[in-house]
């Protein structure tokens, strides 16, 4: 009798266990939706491949646990000549309901601010976001924007100091800048203030597209410019190889606002580390995806700066780079 009861209990237990296992593998269980993927809209102002800064941004997100194809989608979009398409591209991202917009440059951030007051926006720009009207303050941005501010206007004065060290006898210095960039006015103000202190005469040449780059260099040559400062701008960056080529053709020693310019053949570049800024921007995106409000995240400023000297270009120009400047260089291209 006891044996029959024990067998009955065993059979019942096995039946319940099989039913539970069958439930785990039922079609209904297989049909459960996968975890929602976070969608980040990455918008750069220039056409072409995104380059090493994008890779730094993507790798930083991966290090923070956001892996494309698993829990992350990066919706990459690129503008083109001028800034006319940026508004339409941001509007498309809003329609696609991205979770965060990463705006590369001040013009993209401006377009994002105009397009949405709800979707969080993290920007990477080289000007002052308060002066540009993007945030109310660096410490408490408020609204839906925060990001990385690269201090490009403030660095303009430092670039003039380096240029003076490189060319102590130079007096006539040309500047090329894009007047449509909201950061240009601040950059020119800082550059002019430094020129007064250093006793330099500046001549501004405005550039909006590639054709105007050609005209600007022809004018510099006619004016016998002894040196050139390039102000930070995404349109100029898109055409940096053309700018570098013309600077070499007209034999004008030039200092540039990003290290990529020196890699393209530019003489000297001094800038905040773009790779660092993009990595730190990824950290802000991560915090927002995990629930933080952009208005509560302070706008961050760079802590790492780089100076690159291209000795190949110096030799072509017949310039001897001062030893003190070489010793301070973070990298020398030989």
């Amino acid at each position: 009798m006891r044996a029959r009861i024990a067998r009955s209990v065993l059979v019942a237990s096995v039946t319940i266990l099989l039913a539970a296992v069958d439930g785990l593998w039922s079609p209904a269980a297989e049909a459960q939706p996968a975890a929602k993927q976070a969608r980040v809209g990455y918008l750069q102002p220039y056409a072409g491949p995104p380059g090493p800064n994008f890779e730094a941004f993507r790798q930083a997100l991966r290090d923070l646990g956001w892996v494309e194809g698993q829990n992350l989608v990066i919706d990459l979009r690129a503008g083109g000549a001028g800034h006319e398409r940026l508004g339409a591209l941001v509007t498309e991202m809003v329609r696609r309901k991205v979770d965060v917009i990463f705006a590369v440059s001040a013009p993209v951030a401006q377009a994002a601010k105009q397009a949405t007051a709800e979707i969080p926006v993290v920007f990477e720009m080289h000007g002052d976001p308060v002066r540009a009207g993007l945030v109310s303050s660096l410490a408490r941005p408020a609204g839906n924007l925060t990001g990385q501010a690269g201090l490009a206007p403030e660095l303009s004065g430092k670039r003039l100091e380096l240029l003076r060290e490189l060319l102590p006898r130079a007096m006539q210095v040309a500047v090329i800048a894009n007047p449509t960039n909201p950061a240009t006015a601040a950059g020119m103000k800082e550059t002019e203030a430094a020129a007064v202190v250093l006793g330099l005469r500046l001549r501004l040449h405005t550039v909006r597209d590639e054709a105007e780059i050609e005209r600007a260099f022809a004018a510099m040559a006619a004016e016998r410019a002894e040196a050139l400062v390039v102000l930070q701008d995404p349109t100029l960056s898109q055409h940096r190889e053309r700018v570098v080529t013309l600077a070499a053709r007209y034999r004008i020693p030039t200092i540039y606002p990003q290290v990529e310019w020196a890699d393209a053949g530019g003489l000297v570049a001094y800038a905040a580390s773009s790779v660092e800024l993009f990595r730190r921007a990824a950290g802000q995106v991560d915090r927002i995806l995990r629930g933080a409000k952009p208005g509560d995240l302070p706008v961050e400023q760079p802590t790492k700066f780089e100076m690159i000297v291209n000795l190949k270009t110096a030799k072509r120009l017949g310039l001897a780079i001062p030893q003190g400047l070489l010793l301070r260089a973070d990298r020398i291209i030989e």
Side-chain angles (χ1 to χ4, degrees):
M1 180 69 176
R2 289 179 181 177
R4 284 199 301 271
I5 293 173
R7 284 196 299 272
S8 299
V9 170
L10 178 61
V11 170
S13 299
V14 171
T15 302
I16 292 171
L17 179 61
L18 290 174
V21 171
D22 184 62
L24 289 175
W25 293 98
S26 67
E30 291 182 352
Q32 292 298 314
K36 178 181 180 293
Q37 290 183 318
R39 184 175 293 272
V40 175
Y42 183 108
L43 179 53
Q44 64 184 32
Y46 45 83
N53 290 334
F54 172 73
E55 293 304 323
F57 176 80
R58 182 160 60 179
Q59 182 60 54
L61 284 175
R62 189 179 297 120
D63 293 341
L64 291 164
W66 299 101
V67 181
E68 289 177 271
Q70 295 182 16
N71 60 354
L72 176 68
V73 174
I74 298 180
D75 195 352
L76 174 63
R77 293 290 183 272
H83 301 145
E84 294 79 9
R85 295 185 62 234
L86 296 180
L89 290 172
V90 173
T91 300
E92 179 186 347
M93 287 185 174
V94 172
R95 283 200 303 265
R96 292 172 70 88
K97 297 182 179 180
V98 299
D99 297 296
V100 183
I101 295 173
F102 181 50
V104 181
S105 82
V108 178
Q110 293 277 21
K113 183 177 176 66
Q114 292 173 7
T116 179
E118 297 177 358
I119 295 177
V121 177
V122 174
F123 54 75
E124 186 280 333
M125 60 180 290
H126 295 272
D128 183 344
V130 177
R131 198 177 294 178
L134 293 172
V135 297
S136 58
S137 75
L138 298 182
R140 297 285 294 180
N144 64 317
L145 284 84
T146 189
Q148 303 289 319
L151 296 176
E154 290 82 351
L155 295 182
S156 296
K158 179 63 177 179
R159 293 188 189 102
L160 268 189
E161 292 176 12
L162 293 172
L163 203 55
R164 166 62 86 193
E165 186 175 349
L166 178 64
L167 303 163
R169 297 182 181 179
M171 294 297 296
Q172 186 77 21
V173 178
V175 180
I176 59 173
N178 184 350
T180 67
N181 188 329
T184 292
M188 272 307 301
K189 184 177 180 180
E190 295 288 340
T191 306
E192 289 166 350
V196 171
V197 173
L198 296 169
L200 299 172
R201 295 189 298 271
L202 297 183
R203 183 65 181 270
L204 174 63
H205 298 269
T206 57
V207 170
R208 298 172 182 81
D209 54 36
E210 187 172 10
E212 291 189 341
I213 293 173
E214 301 274 353
R215 289 195 291 270
F217 272 95
M220 289 178 218
E223 296 162 4
R224 299 182 183 276
E226 297 171 272
L228 169 64
V229 175
V230 177
L231 294 193
Q232 172 62 35
D233 175 71
T235 299
L236 289 171
S237 295
Q238 184 179 358
H239 299 295
R240 60 175 169 262
E241 291 185 2
R242 188 60 184 154
V243 173
V244 166
T245 297
L246 290 170
R249 177 189 301 173
Y250 289 103
R251 302 185 64 80
I252 303 176
T254 306
I255 189 163
Y256 298 96
Q258 290 175 295
V259 297
E260 291 87 352
W261 293 78
D263 290 323
L267 178 61
V268 179
Y270 180 74
S273 170
S274 294
V275 168
E276 183 205 30
L277 292 175
F278 276 70
R279 284 175 178 160
R280 289 168 58 180
Q284 292 174 309
V285 170
D286 167 65
R287 291 195 288 277
I288 290 170
L289 290 176
R290 297 183 190 279
K293 295 180 180 179
D296 294 336
L297 299 178
V299 174
E300 299 178 358
Q301 295 177 297
T303 58
K304 181 180 179 182
F305 302 89
E306 300 173 313
M307 179 171 65
I308 314 299
V309 177
N310 193 318
L311 280 184
K312 291 181 180 179
T313 301
K315 290 175 183 177
R316 293 192 200 100
L317 295 172
L319 285 177
I321 305 295
Q323 188 65 23
L325 195 149
L326 286 175
L327 290 173
R328 300 199 309 276
D330 296 278
R331 182 158 57 93
I332 297 172
I333 300 173
E334 298 183 274

